[in-house]
Amino acid sequence: MGRVVMHNVVSVDGFIADADDEVGPLFDWYGNGDVEIGAGCTVSKTSAAYVQPMWADLGVLVIGRHLFDLTNGWEGSPPAGEHVVVVSHRPRPEGWHPEASYFFVDDVARAVAEAGELAGDRTVGVAAGDVGGQALALGLVDEVAMDVVPVVFGSGKRYFGPVDSQHLLEDPHVVIQGDRVLHLRYKVRR
């Protein structure tokens, strides 16, 4: 299995959305450049050099049912990777994009394991928030990737969800200043 990377865009104060699930300016950097990276996004040359290889290496996304419902599962077409594993106690919606390579699993550990099988040697991306925090707490995350945007939300949906214990990360091994975004990657200390 490839690496498991918890990832999301995040405010400086650690939120991936406000209390109403609005992302405000968090995703503005996906449209502030000249380089097309797919999914209708144009970013700076610096951000493109970081994002393109990361997206190309991504085999599977692991997300929670809340994100699935908010995005309607991107209409059956993952924004990156070929497969999506949804952590949910509810089954796939009846009749929803039967051709889509989406799998519904009711346990975070099983979801990451299934994603690893689907990904092979490629990266498993775990969405930050409640599911990402649970995966981190279970010791299933190898790296934490944050695209930090210079905005303070004050409250909202936390990047690490309800993590209630300390987890040490190594010093960042990637620090890239984009246009209105700072790309950071940390290995999880074992």
Side-chain angles (χ1 to χ4, degrees):
M1 175 164 105
R3 293 172 300 150
V4 176
V5 178
M6 180 177 166
H7 176 254
N8 225 86
V9 179
V10 62
S11 67
V12 172
D13 56 343
F15 297 100
I16 58 175
D18 68 18
D20 296 321
D21 290 314
E22 298 295 326
V23 295
L26 289 180
F27 290 86
D28 289 355
W29 68 275
Y30 278 119
N32 70 2
D34 299 330
V35 181
E36 169 70 37
I37 60 170
C41 300
T42 55
V43 299
S44 69
K45 184 184 285 188
T46 302
S47 287
Y50 169 74
V51 172
Q52 287 174 321
M54 184 173 68
W55 284 5
D57 191 47
L58 194 61
V60 181
L61 290 176
V62 177
I63 66 172
R65 183 60 179 251
H66 187 69
L67 180 57
F68 174 85
D69 289 342
L70 281 173
T71 63
N72 194 30
W74 303 284
E75 299 300 333
S77 180
E82 285 103 36
H83 313 282
V84 175
V85 178
V86 181
V87 180
S88 176
H89 294 291
R90 293 180 284 145
R92 176 190 205 111
E94 194 166 320
W96 181 86
H97 297 281
E99 76 291 348
S101 186
Y102 281 55
F103 305 88
F104 289 72
V105 179
D106 68 356
D107 176 84
V108 171
R110 284 202 319 271
V112 172
E114 183 165 336
E117 289 177 24
L118 290 165
D121 291 337
R122 295 177 69 196
T123 298
V124 171
V126 177
D130 290 346
V131 168
Q134 290 175 51
L136 180 70
L138 291 169
L140 304 174
V141 174
D142 300 311
E143 287 184 45
V144 171
M146 305 173 120
D147 299 318
V148 183
V149 173
V151 62
V152 175
F153 275 14
S155 65
K157 310 291 181 171
R158 294 172 43 194
Y159 181 93
F160 290 102
V163 170
D164 60 0
S165 62
Q166 186 179 77
H167 298 272
L168 293 176
L169 307 176
E170 299 294 340
D171 288 338
H173 64 281
V174 173
V175 179
I176 298 172
Q177 176 64 56
D179 183 6
R180 302 287 303 157
V181 64
L182 177 64
H183 307 288
L184 299 170
R185 288 183 79 146
Y186 303 86
K187 290 184 178 159
V188 176
R189 188 176 287 180
R190 303 279 186 213

